[in-house]
Amino acid sequence: MSPSTSRPTTVTAAFWILIVGLILDLITTIVLITTGIALAGGAVEVEVDGASFGGGVMIATGVILIVILLIELLVLRKMRAGRNWARIVITVLEVLGILSLLGGVSTLGIIAAIISVVVIVLLWVRQSNDYFRASA
């Protein structure tokens, strides 16, 4: 990227919207892990959609989610730095999130889908395209 090419507001806004989402995902993951720790001490299980989960499964899932969140953070940082591959990865993940609504619609799902559309638009408007092209 040349020194004269500055990051457009569209890319910065998309980055911070996605960071807020990452923080919310991290909070959810911490709750999952702490719940798992609390359940691991006893024979209690949590039932979700007909499937039972013990504390160990919840802890393991939380640890895997933390690894995924760290990878997402790396991809976000690369996107912010102008890497087009990272923009494409984020776009694919956001589209998959929108498509997940096909499994069932909820108010939070609709809000998440709207946010995903906003992020996709921000990443693909002319200013963003110019930035990613110049960064190549």
Side-chain angles (χ1 to χ4, degrees):
M1 181 169 73
S2 69
S4 62
T5 306
S6 63
R7 185 180 318 109
T9 306
T10 54
V11 172
T12 300
F15 174 79
W16 286 110
I17 290 168
L18 292 166
I19 287 293
V20 169
L22 258 176
I23 291 168
L24 294 173
D25 289 343
L26 179 61
I27 292 168
T28 302
T29 301
I30 291 169
V31 169
L32 178 69
I33 291 172
T34 55
T35 302
I37 291 169
L39 293 177
V44 179
E45 292 187 343
V46 174
E47 188 171 321
V48 178
D49 293 331
S52 295
F53 298 97
V57 171
M58 295 173 89
I59 295 168
T61 302
V63 170
I64 292 168
L65 289 173
I66 287 175
V67 171
I68 291 170
L69 290 173
L70 289 172
I71 293 169
E72 286 181 40
L73 181 60
L74 173 67
V75 173
L76 283 178
R77 291 184 66 210
K78 294 298 182 180
M79 179 272 300
R80 186 175 187 222
R83 304 298 185 269
N84 194 52
W85 66 264
R87 173 173 69 157
I88 293 168
V89 168
I90 291 166
T91 300
V92 169
L93 293 174
E94 294 301 310
V95 168
L96 290 173
I98 293 167
L99 292 176
S100 71
L101 278 177
L102 298 176
V105 179
S106 68
T107 303
L108 286 178
I110 292 170
I111 292 169
I114 292 168
I115 292 170
S116 291
V117 169
V118 168
V119 166
I120 292 168
V121 168
L122 287 170
L123 290 177
W124 291 94
V125 295
R126 193 183 103 254
Q127 300 94 320
S128 297
N129 288 335
D130 292 346
Y131 172 69
F132 286 103
R133 198 173 302 116
S135 298

